[in-house]
Amino acid sequence: MPESVAKRLRALEDREAIRELIARYGPLADSGDAAGVAGLFAEDGVYAVGGMGEAKGRAAIAALISGPVHQSLMTDGCAHILTSPVIELDGDCAVARCHSIVFRHEDGEWAPVRVAANRWVLARGAAGWQVARRDNMLLDGSGAARLLLS
Amino acid sequence: MPESVAKRLRALEDREAIRELIARYGPLADSGDAAGVAGLFAEDGVYAVGGMGEAKGRAAIAALISGPVHQSLMTDGCAHILTSPVIELDGDCAVARCHSIVFRHEDGEWAPVRVAANRWVLARGAAGWQVARRDNMLLDGSGAARLLLS
Amino acid sequence: MPESVAKRLRALEDREAIRELIARYGPLADSGDAAGVAGLFAEDGVYAVGGMGEAKGRAAIAALISGPVHQSLMTDGCAHILTSPVIELDGDCAVARCHSIVFRHEDGEWAPVRVAANRWVLARGAAGWQVARRDNMLLDGSGAARLLLS
């Protein structure tokens, strides 16, 4: 295989893998798969959720899903929506940016209870692409949230 | 072409084709193209819409679009939003999972009147990738809807 | 590199580049990067925003972002959501269709204040893919908006 073909295939596959990794978050979260969500992250990955603190490591991230806030959301009915990310690849590292929306069900209606900016730092390890850090901040007029997208 | 290159190109093209197939649903539905929506499905494809029964075959699926419920949505103004799917490829078959949101317009505002889990079973035939079955269930706290995403 | 491989890689890369170009709009708009938004468009690109007139050329497009309507949105908190587009490639030209939703924050809640159909005409120039024209029309029951998606 010519080197140029290998390099171009690899770049396409990397972008596809990262898009898939991010797309998996919503279905895993909404089906309550705490281990699955944690497994998107590296062992020492960090998930900083705007207004809800910072979870460091897979056990802490799994606890976000198995904890009372998320379980209450699931009982009511919820959807964690993520938009198709903008991806900057740099060898074995990448940064991706996208929006997220959490819809919560109540009395036959759904409300967008969180609309947020997301910045993902990703790294390729032995197990493939994983999330090193996800920062999530509410788009409520805060300049810090806008910075995540720039 | 080396076999490995052919295989990797094919996988990338398959994922692209499936993403495109699913992305076509929203614009076809919102422009009222009943034949176009039906044509995304195999001849004997099934579309099970949460709370609205199961349409089997292209004629039944087209009737969902040309029928009074969908036509009333279009008259008011609607948007059928689908998120970028998680795709599991297995040769000539695939399973994809994503969320869907239907927005309905009323008096200058839009409301998310359906927020749902979707599981697509896809198959490659002579005419390329088509939908064999789409299950759609409202994310209203039901365990069955959550299962579609897991 | 065999011609067939080059052609298939090119098609995959073109679709990826166009998806990325469209995905960049939301984060650029929500971070207030007027030059960045304008740079998605060709020098003489056109952005026709339903209900808000037509901006021709990069200076006019940048003015949409730096102008009072968009700045007020950003001060309140906003998210410009775009769905994964359906892309028709034709050599150095392409047409893409998707939905867009603008969420506006107010008093701890978000409302979908614009839900729209989008048709993008894209062209490949010396600087890569750029937007030649984006038409955006509110999905408020108008037949013209539906036509953009068909």
Side-chain angles (χ1 to χ4, degrees):
Chain A
M1 189 186 318
E3 196 186 341
S4 61
V5 171
K7 195 175 166 188
R8 290 167 69 183
L9 274 174
R10 182 67 170 260
L12 287 164
E13 289 167 344
D14 283 348
R15 297 178 62 84
E16 189 74 35
I18 291 168
R19 186 165 40 233
E20 182 87 3
L21 187 69
I22 292 176
R24 286 174 62 205
Y25 179 82
L28 288 169
D30 291 329
S31 58
D33 186 341
V37 167
L40 302 176
F41 288 77
E43 288 283 359
D44 58 351
V46 175
Y47 183 10
V49 194
M52 300 172 66
E54 192 168 299
K56 296 186 182 184
R58 286 189 183 155
I61 292 166
L64 286 178
I65 301 299
S66 53
V69 172
H70 189 79
Q71 291 297 312
S72 157
L73 257 182
M74 282 177 55
T75 301
D76 285 354
C78 64
H80 287 70
I81 303 295
L82 292 154
T83 59
S84 195
V86 179
I87 301 168
E88 291 170 52
L89 264 184
D90 183 15
D92 292 334
C93 296
V95 172
R97 290 177 175 81
C98 69
H99 292 87
S100 61
I101 309 160
V102 180
F103 284 97
R104 182 174 202 134
H105 177 259
E106 192 181 328
D107 296 330
E109 298 186 342
W110 286 265
V113 293
R114 292 181 60 90
V115 176
N118 292 267
R119 182 178 185 272
W120 308 71
V121 179
L122 307 123
R124 188 208 324 264
W129 286 96
Q130 292 182 321
V131 182
R133 181 179 180 94
R134 175 184 177 185
D135 283 284
N136 168 286
M137 298 190 75
L138 294 176
L139 286 161
D140 57 4
S142 108
R146 288 199 295 267
L147 272 181
L148 279 189
L149 294 174
S150 72
Chain B
M1 188 186 318
E3 196 185 341
S4 62
V5 172
K7 196 176 166 187
R8 290 168 69 185
L9 275 175
R10 182 65 172 260
L12 286 164
E13 289 168 344
D14 282 348
R15 297 178 62 84
E16 189 73 36
I18 290 168
R19 185 164 42 233
E20 181 87 3
L21 187 67
I22 292 175
R24 287 173 62 204
Y25 179 82
L28 288 169
D30 291 329
S31 59
D33 186 340
V37 167
L40 301 176
F41 288 77
E43 288 283 358
D44 57 352
V46 174
Y47 183 9
V49 194
M52 300 171 65
E54 192 170 299
K56 297 186 183 185
R58 286 190 183 155
I61 292 166
L64 287 178
I65 301 300
S66 53
V69 171
H70 189 81
Q71 290 297 312
S72 157
L73 258 182
M74 283 177 54
T75 301
D76 285 354
C78 64
H80 286 70
I81 303 295
L82 292 154
T83 59
S84 195
V86 180
I87 301 168
E88 292 170 53
L89 263 184
D90 183 16
D92 292 335
C93 296
V95 172
R97 289 178 176 81
C98 69
H99 291 88
S100 60
I101 309 160
V102 180
F103 284 97
R104 182 174 202 134
H105 177 260
E106 191 181 328
D107 296 330
E109 298 187 343
W110 286 266
V113 292
R114 292 181 61 90
V115 176
N118 292 268
R119 183 179 184 270
W120 308 71
V121 180
L122 307 124
R124 188 208 322 263
W129 286 96
Q130 292 183 320
V131 182
R133 180 177 181 95
R134 175 184 177 184
D135 282 285
N136 168 286
M137 298 189 73
L138 294 177
L139 286 161
D140 57 3
S142 109
R146 289 200 295 267
L147 272 180
L148 279 189
L149 293 174
S150 74
Chain C
M1 188 186 319
E3 196 185 341
S4 62
V5 171
K7 196 176 166 186
R8 290 167 70 183
L9 275 174
R10 181 67 172 258
L12 286 164
E13 290 168 344
D14 282 347
R15 296 178 63 82
E16 190 73 36
I18 290 169
R19 186 163 40 232
E20 181 87 2
L21 187 68
I22 292 176
R24 287 173 62 204
Y25 179 82
L28 288 169
D30 291 330
S31 59
D33 186 341
V37 166
L40 303 176
F41 288 76
E43 287 284 358
D44 57 350
V46 174
Y47 183 8
V49 194
M52 299 171 66
E54 193 169 299
K56 297 188 184 184
R58 286 189 182 155
I61 292 166
L64 287 178
I65 301 299
S66 52
V69 172
H70 188 80
Q71 291 298 312
S72 157
L73 257 180
M74 282 178 54
T75 301
D76 285 354
C78 63
H80 287 71
I81 303 294
L82 291 155
T83 60
S84 195
V86 179
I87 301 168
E88 292 170 52
L89 264 184
D90 183 16
D92 292 335
C93 295
V95 172
R97 289 177 175 81
C98 69
H99 291 87
S100 60
I101 309 160
V102 180
F103 284 97
R104 183 175 202 134
H105 177 261
E106 192 180 330
D107 296 330
E109 299 186 342
W110 286 265
V113 293
R114 292 181 60 91
V115 177
N118 292 267
R119 182 178 185 272
W120 308 70
V121 179
L122 307 122
R124 189 208 323 263
W129 286 96
Q130 292 183 321
V131 182
R133 181 178 180 94
R134 175 184 177 185
D135 283 285
N136 168 286
M137 298 189 75
L138 295 176
L139 285 161
D140 57 4
S142 108
R146 289 200 295 268
L147 272 180
L148 279 188
L149 294 174
S150 71

